Short mmCIF file of all heavy atoms in Angstrom, two decimals:
data_model
loop_
_atom_site.label_atom_id
_atom_site.label_comp_id
_atom_site.label_asym_id
_atom_site.label_seq_id
_atom_site.Cartn_x
_atom_site.Cartn_y
_atom_site.Cartn_z
N MET A 67 110.77 129.78 96.77
CA MET A 67 109.43 129.59 96.43
C MET A 67 108.63 129.16 97.69
O MET A 67 107.46 129.62 97.84
CB MET A 67 109.34 128.55 95.35
CG MET A 67 108.00 128.51 94.69
SD MET A 67 107.73 130.10 93.85
CE MET A 67 106.35 129.73 92.95
N ASN A 68 109.20 128.38 98.56
CA ASN A 68 108.50 127.99 99.72
C ASN A 68 108.19 129.11 100.67
O ASN A 68 107.14 129.19 101.35
CB ASN A 68 109.25 126.89 100.52
CG ASN A 68 108.91 125.52 100.07
OD1 ASN A 68 107.90 125.27 99.36
ND2 ASN A 68 109.83 124.58 100.41
N ALA A 69 109.16 130.05 100.73
CA ALA A 69 108.97 131.19 101.58
C ALA A 69 107.85 132.08 101.07
O ALA A 69 106.99 132.57 101.91
CB ALA A 69 110.24 132.00 101.66
N LEU A 70 107.74 132.21 99.78
CA LEU A 70 106.61 133.04 99.20
C LEU A 70 105.28 132.35 99.46
O LEU A 70 104.32 133.00 99.85
CB LEU A 70 106.85 133.23 97.68
CG LEU A 70 105.80 133.96 96.94
CD1 LEU A 70 105.72 135.37 97.47
CD2 LEU A 70 106.09 133.98 95.45
N ARG A 71 105.24 131.06 99.34
CA ARG A 71 104.01 130.28 99.60
C ARG A 71 103.62 130.44 101.06
O ARG A 71 102.45 130.59 101.37
CB ARG A 71 104.24 128.82 99.31
CG ARG A 71 102.96 128.09 98.99
CD ARG A 71 103.22 126.66 98.46
NE ARG A 71 103.87 126.74 97.10
CZ ARG A 71 104.56 125.78 96.56
NH1 ARG A 71 104.84 124.67 97.23
NH2 ARG A 71 105.04 125.90 95.36
N THR A 72 104.56 130.42 101.93
CA THR A 72 104.29 130.54 103.33
C THR A 72 103.80 131.93 103.71
O THR A 72 102.84 132.06 104.47
CB THR A 72 105.55 130.28 104.23
OG1 THR A 72 106.07 128.96 103.87
CG2 THR A 72 105.26 130.40 105.72
N VAL A 73 104.39 132.93 103.07
CA VAL A 73 103.90 134.34 103.29
C VAL A 73 102.53 134.52 102.83
O VAL A 73 101.65 135.06 103.48
CB VAL A 73 104.84 135.31 102.64
CG1 VAL A 73 104.29 136.72 102.62
CG2 VAL A 73 106.20 135.31 103.33
N VAL A 74 102.21 134.00 101.59
CA VAL A 74 100.83 134.16 101.06
C VAL A 74 99.78 133.41 101.95
O VAL A 74 98.77 133.92 102.32
CB VAL A 74 100.81 133.62 99.60
CG1 VAL A 74 99.36 133.52 99.15
CG2 VAL A 74 101.58 134.52 98.69
N ARG A 75 100.17 132.25 102.41
CA ARG A 75 99.35 131.39 103.28
C ARG A 75 99.00 132.18 104.61
O ARG A 75 97.92 132.20 105.04
CB ARG A 75 99.88 130.08 103.55
CG ARG A 75 98.95 129.14 104.30
CD ARG A 75 99.52 127.74 104.53
NE ARG A 75 99.91 127.15 103.21
CZ ARG A 75 101.05 126.55 102.97
NH1 ARG A 75 101.96 126.46 103.88
NH2 ARG A 75 101.25 126.03 101.72
N GLU A 76 100.04 132.76 105.11
CA GLU A 76 99.85 133.54 106.39
C GLU A 76 99.01 134.79 106.18
O GLU A 76 98.16 135.13 107.00
CB GLU A 76 101.25 133.97 106.97
CG GLU A 76 102.07 132.78 107.51
CD GLU A 76 101.42 132.18 108.71
OE1 GLU A 76 100.79 132.93 109.55
OE2 GLU A 76 101.47 130.93 108.80
N LEU A 77 99.22 135.45 105.05
CA LEU A 77 98.33 136.67 104.80
C LEU A 77 96.91 136.21 104.60
O LEU A 77 96.00 136.91 105.05
CB LEU A 77 98.90 137.37 103.56
CG LEU A 77 100.09 138.22 103.68
CD1 LEU A 77 100.61 138.82 102.42
CD2 LEU A 77 99.78 139.36 104.67
N VAL A 78 96.66 135.18 103.86
CA VAL A 78 95.35 134.66 103.69
C VAL A 78 94.74 134.30 104.99
O VAL A 78 93.56 134.57 105.29
CB VAL A 78 95.21 133.58 102.64
CG1 VAL A 78 93.88 132.90 102.65
CG2 VAL A 78 95.61 134.11 101.22
N GLY A 79 95.49 133.66 105.80
CA GLY A 79 95.08 133.22 107.16
C GLY A 79 94.68 134.37 108.04
O GLY A 79 93.82 134.22 108.95
N LEU A 80 95.25 135.53 107.78
CA LEU A 80 94.82 136.70 108.63
C LEU A 80 93.38 137.10 108.37
O LEU A 80 92.68 137.55 109.32
CB LEU A 80 95.72 137.94 108.29
CG LEU A 80 97.17 137.93 108.79
CD1 LEU A 80 97.96 139.07 108.26
CD2 LEU A 80 97.21 137.90 110.37
N PHE A 81 92.94 136.94 107.16
CA PHE A 81 91.57 137.26 106.79
C PHE A 81 90.62 136.13 106.74
O PHE A 81 89.39 136.31 106.95
CB PHE A 81 91.57 138.02 105.49
CG PHE A 81 92.46 139.22 105.49
CD1 PHE A 81 93.77 139.18 104.95
CD2 PHE A 81 91.99 140.41 106.05
CE1 PHE A 81 94.55 140.29 105.01
CE2 PHE A 81 92.82 141.52 106.11
CZ PHE A 81 94.08 141.48 105.60
N VAL A 82 91.08 134.96 106.50
CA VAL A 82 90.26 133.76 106.33
C VAL A 82 90.71 132.67 107.25
O VAL A 82 91.47 131.74 106.83
CB VAL A 82 90.20 133.33 104.87
CG1 VAL A 82 89.21 132.14 104.73
CG2 VAL A 82 89.81 134.45 103.98
N GLU A 83 90.39 132.73 108.50
CA GLU A 83 90.90 131.72 109.45
C GLU A 83 90.09 130.45 109.30
O GLU A 83 90.56 129.32 109.25
CB GLU A 83 90.81 132.21 110.90
CG GLU A 83 91.31 131.28 111.89
CD GLU A 83 91.32 131.85 113.23
OE1 GLU A 83 91.64 133.05 113.45
OE2 GLU A 83 91.05 131.07 114.23
N ASP A 84 88.78 130.62 109.18
CA ASP A 84 87.86 129.51 109.01
C ASP A 84 87.31 129.44 107.52
O ASP A 84 86.49 130.26 107.25
CB ASP A 84 86.71 129.60 110.06
CG ASP A 84 85.83 128.35 110.03
OD1 ASP A 84 85.99 127.46 109.15
OD2 ASP A 84 84.94 128.30 110.90
N ARG A 85 87.82 128.55 106.73
CA ARG A 85 87.45 128.57 105.36
C ARG A 85 85.96 128.29 105.09
O ARG A 85 85.34 128.92 104.26
CB ARG A 85 88.22 127.53 104.59
CG ARG A 85 89.65 127.92 104.44
CD ARG A 85 90.41 126.94 103.52
NE ARG A 85 91.80 127.38 103.41
CZ ARG A 85 92.84 126.80 103.91
NH1 ARG A 85 92.68 125.72 104.71
NH2 ARG A 85 94.06 127.29 103.77
N LEU A 86 85.38 127.42 105.87
CA LEU A 86 83.95 127.11 105.77
C LEU A 86 83.07 128.25 106.09
O LEU A 86 82.09 128.59 105.42
CB LEU A 86 83.52 125.86 106.61
CG LEU A 86 82.12 125.37 106.42
CD1 LEU A 86 81.89 124.94 105.01
CD2 LEU A 86 81.89 124.23 107.40
N PHE A 87 83.49 129.02 107.16
CA PHE A 87 82.72 130.22 107.54
C PHE A 87 82.85 131.26 106.45
O PHE A 87 81.81 131.89 106.07
CB PHE A 87 83.27 130.78 108.86
CG PHE A 87 82.69 131.94 109.42
CD1 PHE A 87 81.34 131.87 109.87
CD2 PHE A 87 83.34 133.12 109.56
CE1 PHE A 87 80.75 132.96 110.41
CE2 PHE A 87 82.73 134.28 110.13
CZ PHE A 87 81.42 134.17 110.51
N ALA A 88 84.03 131.52 105.91
CA ALA A 88 84.17 132.47 104.79
C ALA A 88 83.40 132.11 103.55
O ALA A 88 82.83 132.97 102.91
CB ALA A 88 85.70 132.68 104.50
N LEU A 89 83.40 130.80 103.28
CA LEU A 89 82.72 130.31 102.08
C LEU A 89 81.19 130.47 102.26
O LEU A 89 80.50 130.95 101.32
CB LEU A 89 83.04 128.86 101.84
CG LEU A 89 82.31 128.16 100.69
CD1 LEU A 89 82.76 128.80 99.36
CD2 LEU A 89 82.58 126.67 100.69
N ALA A 90 80.72 130.25 103.45
CA ALA A 90 79.29 130.42 103.73
C ALA A 90 78.91 131.88 103.65
O ALA A 90 77.82 132.22 103.01
CB ALA A 90 78.89 129.87 105.13
N ILE A 91 79.70 132.77 104.10
CA ILE A 91 79.39 134.20 103.97
C ILE A 91 79.39 134.61 102.53
O ILE A 91 78.51 135.35 102.04
CB ILE A 91 80.42 135.00 104.78
CG1 ILE A 91 80.18 134.81 106.25
CG2 ILE A 91 80.33 136.55 104.38
CD1 ILE A 91 81.24 135.53 107.15
N ALA A 92 80.44 134.16 101.73
CA ALA A 92 80.52 134.50 100.31
C ALA A 92 79.30 134.01 99.57
O ALA A 92 78.74 134.67 98.76
CB ALA A 92 81.80 133.99 99.72
N LEU A 93 78.92 132.73 99.81
CA LEU A 93 77.79 132.18 99.14
C LEU A 93 76.41 132.97 99.43
O LEU A 93 75.61 133.18 98.59
CB LEU A 93 77.60 130.71 99.46
CG LEU A 93 78.65 129.79 98.88
CD1 LEU A 93 78.55 128.40 99.33
CD2 LEU A 93 78.68 129.84 97.33
N TRP A 94 76.34 133.29 100.77
CA TRP A 94 75.12 134.03 101.11
C TRP A 94 75.11 135.45 100.50
O TRP A 94 74.02 135.91 99.97
CB TRP A 94 75.01 134.20 102.64
CG TRP A 94 73.70 134.73 103.07
CD1 TRP A 94 73.48 135.90 103.54
CD2 TRP A 94 72.46 134.17 102.88
NE1 TRP A 94 72.10 136.16 103.77
CE2 TRP A 94 71.45 135.01 103.31
CE3 TRP A 94 72.01 132.88 102.31
CZ2 TRP A 94 70.08 134.76 103.25
CZ3 TRP A 94 70.61 132.64 102.31
CH2 TRP A 94 69.69 133.56 102.71
N LEU A 95 76.29 136.08 100.39
CA LEU A 95 76.25 137.41 99.75
C LEU A 95 76.02 137.28 98.21
O LEU A 95 75.33 138.12 97.69
CB LEU A 95 77.71 138.04 99.96
CG LEU A 95 78.00 138.45 101.38
CD1 LEU A 95 79.44 138.99 101.43
CD2 LEU A 95 77.00 139.58 101.81
N LEU A 96 76.50 136.25 97.63
CA LEU A 96 76.14 135.97 96.18
C LEU A 96 74.68 135.74 96.00
O LEU A 96 74.10 136.27 95.07
CB LEU A 96 77.00 134.79 95.65
CG LEU A 96 78.41 135.08 95.34
CD1 LEU A 96 79.15 133.79 95.02
CD2 LEU A 96 78.62 136.10 94.29
N ALA A 97 74.08 134.99 96.91
CA ALA A 97 72.64 134.68 96.78
C ALA A 97 71.81 135.94 96.97
O ALA A 97 70.89 136.20 96.16
CB ALA A 97 72.27 133.63 97.81
N THR A 98 72.11 136.67 97.97
CA THR A 98 71.34 137.90 98.20
C THR A 98 71.63 138.93 97.14
O THR A 98 70.76 139.72 96.77
CB THR A 98 71.59 138.46 99.58
OG1 THR A 98 72.99 138.67 99.81
CG2 THR A 98 71.01 137.59 100.71
N GLY A 99 72.84 138.95 96.63
CA GLY A 99 73.11 139.87 95.51
C GLY A 99 72.31 139.47 94.25
O GLY A 99 71.81 140.40 93.53
N ALA A 100 72.18 138.20 94.01
CA ALA A 100 71.35 137.77 92.86
C ALA A 100 69.89 138.13 93.06
O ALA A 100 69.22 138.60 92.12
CB ALA A 100 71.48 136.27 92.69
N ILE A 101 69.38 137.96 94.28
CA ILE A 101 68.06 138.42 94.57
C ILE A 101 67.86 139.91 94.40
O ILE A 101 66.87 140.35 93.77
CB ILE A 101 67.68 138.01 96.04
CG1 ILE A 101 67.55 136.49 96.14
CG2 ILE A 101 66.37 138.64 96.47
CD1 ILE A 101 67.37 135.91 97.53
N ALA A 102 68.83 140.68 94.83
CA ALA A 102 68.81 142.12 94.62
C ALA A 102 68.80 142.54 93.20
O ALA A 102 68.12 143.42 92.70
CB ALA A 102 69.88 142.74 95.42
N ALA A 103 69.68 141.83 92.46
CA ALA A 103 69.83 142.12 91.00
C ALA A 103 68.44 141.83 90.23
O ALA A 103 68.18 142.45 89.23
CB ALA A 103 70.87 141.28 90.34
N LEU A 104 67.75 140.80 90.69
CA LEU A 104 66.47 140.44 90.07
C LEU A 104 65.30 141.34 90.62
O LEU A 104 64.22 141.18 90.20
CB LEU A 104 66.19 139.02 90.32
CG LEU A 104 67.12 137.99 89.67
CD1 LEU A 104 66.75 136.62 90.13
CD2 LEU A 104 67.02 138.09 88.16
N SER A 105 65.65 142.22 91.54
CA SER A 105 64.62 143.13 92.16
C SER A 105 63.46 142.37 92.79
O SER A 105 62.37 142.74 92.65
CB SER A 105 64.18 144.11 91.14
OG SER A 105 65.22 144.98 90.74
N ILE A 106 63.75 141.26 93.45
CA ILE A 106 62.77 140.47 94.15
C ILE A 106 62.55 141.11 95.52
O ILE A 106 63.52 141.20 96.28
CB ILE A 106 63.20 139.03 94.23
CG1 ILE A 106 63.33 138.46 92.87
CG2 ILE A 106 62.17 138.20 95.09
CD1 ILE A 106 63.89 137.04 92.88
N GLY A 107 61.33 141.45 95.81
CA GLY A 107 61.00 142.09 97.15
C GLY A 107 61.35 143.51 97.22
O GLY A 107 61.99 144.13 96.41
N THR A 108 61.06 144.09 98.36
CA THR A 108 61.41 145.48 98.63
C THR A 108 62.78 145.53 99.29
O THR A 108 63.35 144.56 99.73
CB THR A 108 60.37 146.07 99.67
OG1 THR A 108 60.47 145.40 100.88
CG2 THR A 108 58.97 145.94 99.18
N PRO A 109 63.41 146.75 99.17
CA PRO A 109 64.77 146.84 99.79
C PRO A 109 64.78 146.47 101.29
O PRO A 109 65.75 145.91 101.77
CB PRO A 109 65.09 148.34 99.58
CG PRO A 109 64.26 148.77 98.44
CD PRO A 109 62.98 147.94 98.47
N GLU A 110 63.71 146.76 101.95
CA GLU A 110 63.65 146.42 103.45
C GLU A 110 63.72 144.92 103.65
O GLU A 110 64.39 144.40 104.46
CB GLU A 110 62.43 147.00 104.09
CG GLU A 110 62.43 148.53 104.17
CD GLU A 110 61.94 149.18 102.89
OE1 GLU A 110 61.40 148.45 101.95
OE2 GLU A 110 62.09 150.43 102.74
N ILE A 111 62.90 144.15 102.81
CA ILE A 111 62.87 142.73 102.87
C ILE A 111 64.19 142.13 102.47
O ILE A 111 64.73 141.24 103.10
CB ILE A 111 61.76 142.16 101.95
CG1 ILE A 111 60.40 142.59 102.50
CG2 ILE A 111 61.81 140.63 101.98
CD1 ILE A 111 60.06 142.13 103.88
N ARG A 112 64.79 142.70 101.43
CA ARG A 112 66.15 142.16 101.02
C ARG A 112 67.21 142.40 102.12
O ARG A 112 68.05 141.54 102.36
CB ARG A 112 66.57 142.82 99.70
CG ARG A 112 65.71 142.38 98.57
CD ARG A 112 66.24 142.85 97.18
NE ARG A 112 66.47 144.22 97.13
CZ ARG A 112 65.73 145.06 96.31
NH1 ARG A 112 64.81 144.55 95.54
NH2 ARG A 112 65.95 146.40 96.25
N GLY A 113 67.14 143.58 102.78
CA GLY A 113 68.05 143.85 103.86
C GLY A 113 67.86 142.94 105.06
O GLY A 113 68.85 142.45 105.66
N LEU A 114 66.58 142.62 105.24
CA LEU A 114 66.29 141.76 106.40
C LEU A 114 66.80 140.28 106.09
O LEU A 114 67.36 139.67 106.94
CB LEU A 114 64.83 141.72 106.67
CG LEU A 114 64.31 140.81 107.82
CD1 LEU A 114 64.89 141.32 109.14
CD2 LEU A 114 62.75 140.82 107.89
N VAL A 115 66.62 139.85 104.88
CA VAL A 115 67.04 138.52 104.51
C VAL A 115 68.56 138.48 104.54
O VAL A 115 69.12 137.44 105.02
CB VAL A 115 66.53 138.21 103.05
CG1 VAL A 115 67.24 136.95 102.46
CG2 VAL A 115 65.03 138.04 103.04
N LEU A 116 69.20 139.51 104.07
CA LEU A 116 70.71 139.61 104.22
C LEU A 116 71.14 139.49 105.66
O LEU A 116 72.00 138.63 105.99
CB LEU A 116 71.20 140.86 103.56
CG LEU A 116 72.74 141.14 103.70
CD1 LEU A 116 73.50 140.06 102.92
CD2 LEU A 116 73.07 142.53 103.24
N PHE A 117 70.54 140.27 106.50
CA PHE A 117 70.94 140.30 107.87
C PHE A 117 70.68 138.97 108.58
O PHE A 117 71.53 138.39 109.26
CB PHE A 117 70.18 141.35 108.65
CG PHE A 117 70.34 141.28 110.09
CD1 PHE A 117 71.48 141.71 110.74
CD2 PHE A 117 69.30 140.76 110.94
CE1 PHE A 117 71.68 141.61 112.12
CE2 PHE A 117 69.51 140.65 112.29
CZ PHE A 117 70.70 141.10 112.88
N LEU A 118 69.44 138.37 108.40
CA LEU A 118 69.11 137.09 109.04
C LEU A 118 69.97 135.94 108.55
O LEU A 118 70.42 135.07 109.31
CB LEU A 118 67.66 136.82 108.81
CG LEU A 118 66.70 137.72 109.51
CD1 LEU A 118 65.25 137.33 109.09
CD2 LEU A 118 66.82 137.63 110.96
N GLY A 119 70.34 136.00 107.28
CA GLY A 119 71.21 134.94 106.71
C GLY A 119 72.66 135.03 107.34
O GLY A 119 73.22 134.04 107.67
N LEU A 120 73.19 136.23 107.34
CA LEU A 120 74.50 136.40 107.95
C LEU A 120 74.49 136.08 109.45
O LEU A 120 75.47 135.53 109.94
CB LEU A 120 74.99 137.83 107.65
CG LEU A 120 75.38 138.15 106.21
CD1 LEU A 120 75.77 139.59 106.09
CD2 LEU A 120 76.48 137.21 105.72
N ALA A 121 73.43 136.47 110.13
CA ALA A 121 73.36 136.07 111.54
C ALA A 121 73.31 134.61 111.70
O ALA A 121 73.95 134.03 112.60
CB ALA A 121 72.09 136.71 112.13
N ALA A 122 72.56 133.89 110.82
CA ALA A 122 72.50 132.42 110.90
C ALA A 122 73.88 131.84 110.62
O ALA A 122 74.24 130.85 111.27
CB ALA A 122 71.49 131.84 109.94
N VAL A 123 74.63 132.34 109.68
CA VAL A 123 76.01 131.88 109.33
C VAL A 123 76.88 132.14 110.55
O VAL A 123 77.66 131.25 110.94
CB VAL A 123 76.50 132.55 108.14
CG1 VAL A 123 78.04 132.30 107.98
CG2 VAL A 123 75.79 132.11 106.86
N LEU A 124 76.74 133.27 111.19
CA LEU A 124 77.51 133.56 112.42
C LEU A 124 77.25 132.61 113.55
O LEU A 124 78.16 132.01 114.18
CB LEU A 124 77.27 134.94 112.92
CG LEU A 124 78.03 135.39 114.08
CD1 LEU A 124 79.56 135.33 113.89
CD2 LEU A 124 77.62 136.76 114.50
N VAL A 125 75.96 132.37 113.82
CA VAL A 125 75.57 131.43 114.83
C VAL A 125 76.09 130.04 114.55
O VAL A 125 76.61 129.30 115.45
CB VAL A 125 74.05 131.43 115.13
CG1 VAL A 125 73.62 130.28 116.02
CG2 VAL A 125 73.64 132.80 115.68
N GLY A 126 75.93 129.58 113.30
CA GLY A 126 76.42 128.26 112.92
C GLY A 126 77.97 128.18 113.04
O GLY A 126 78.48 127.13 113.53
N GLY A 127 78.68 129.29 112.76
CA GLY A 127 80.13 129.23 112.97
C GLY A 127 80.49 129.14 114.42
O GLY A 127 81.50 128.46 114.80
N VAL A 128 79.73 129.82 115.30
CA VAL A 128 80.03 129.82 116.66
C VAL A 128 79.74 128.47 117.26
O VAL A 128 80.58 127.93 118.08
CB VAL A 128 79.28 130.91 117.42
CG1 VAL A 128 79.32 130.78 118.95
CG2 VAL A 128 79.76 132.30 117.03
N VAL A 129 78.67 127.86 116.90
CA VAL A 129 78.31 126.55 117.37
C VAL A 129 79.25 125.51 116.90
O VAL A 129 79.74 124.63 117.66
CB VAL A 129 76.91 126.16 116.87
CG1 VAL A 129 76.59 124.67 117.10
CG2 VAL A 129 75.84 127.00 117.57
N ARG A 130 79.75 125.64 115.63
CA ARG A 130 80.74 124.64 115.12
C ARG A 130 82.09 124.89 115.77
O ARG A 130 82.72 123.91 116.07
CB ARG A 130 80.92 124.97 113.58
CG ARG A 130 80.94 123.76 112.70
CD ARG A 130 81.03 124.06 111.23
NE ARG A 130 81.85 125.17 110.90
CZ ARG A 130 83.20 125.00 110.66
NH1 ARG A 130 83.72 123.89 110.58
NH2 ARG A 130 83.85 126.05 110.29
N GLY A 131 82.42 126.08 116.09
CA GLY A 131 83.64 126.34 116.76
C GLY A 131 83.69 125.92 118.24
O GLY A 131 84.72 125.64 118.80
N ALA A 132 82.49 125.88 118.86
CA ALA A 132 82.39 125.50 120.21
C ALA A 132 82.57 123.98 120.41
O ALA A 132 82.86 123.49 121.54
CB ALA A 132 81.04 125.90 120.83
N ARG A 133 82.40 123.20 119.34
CA ARG A 133 82.61 121.75 119.43
C ARG A 133 84.03 121.32 119.53
O ARG A 133 84.91 121.85 119.16
CB ARG A 133 81.97 121.07 118.24
CG ARG A 133 80.48 121.13 118.28
CD ARG A 133 79.89 120.40 117.15
NE ARG A 133 78.43 120.72 117.12
CZ ARG A 133 77.72 120.47 116.08
NH1 ARG A 133 78.17 119.92 115.01
NH2 ARG A 133 76.43 120.74 116.14
#
C-alpha cells in the first residue's frame, strides 16, 4: 500500500509541483468560467480578464518562488 501511495504522489507531483500555484490557477479558471456562464461582458473582455488573471498568478508564483 505504501508503494501505491508513493507512486500516486510522484505522478501527481509531475503535474502539480506547487500546490498553491495550481490552486490559484484552478480558482481563477472557475471564476472566469462562472463569468462566462453568466454571459457577463463581451468575449474579448472575458478573454482579456482570463489572460490578465493567469498572468498575475504566474508572476505571483515566480515572485514567491524567488524568495
Side-chain angles (χ1 to χ4, degrees):
M67 195 63 171
N68 272 344
L70 179 61
R71 201 173 292 157
T72 302
V73 168
V74 169
R75 188 176 301 130
E76 289 295 323
L77 282 174
V78 170
L80 287 173
F81 300 101
V82 184
E83 185 175 320
D84 185 355
R85 288 187 178 108
L86 185 60
F87 182 64
L89 178 65
I91 289 173
L93 289 175
W94 188 249
L95 290 175
L96 285 172
T98 54
I101 290 171
L104 295 173
S105 297
I106 298 173
T108 65
E110 293 83 11
I111 297 297
R112 291 190 303 248
L114 182 63
V115 168
L116 174 65
F117 171 76
L118 291 176
L120 290 175
V123 168
L124 177 62
V125 168
V128 169
V129 168
R130 226 175 39 90
R133 290 185 189 163

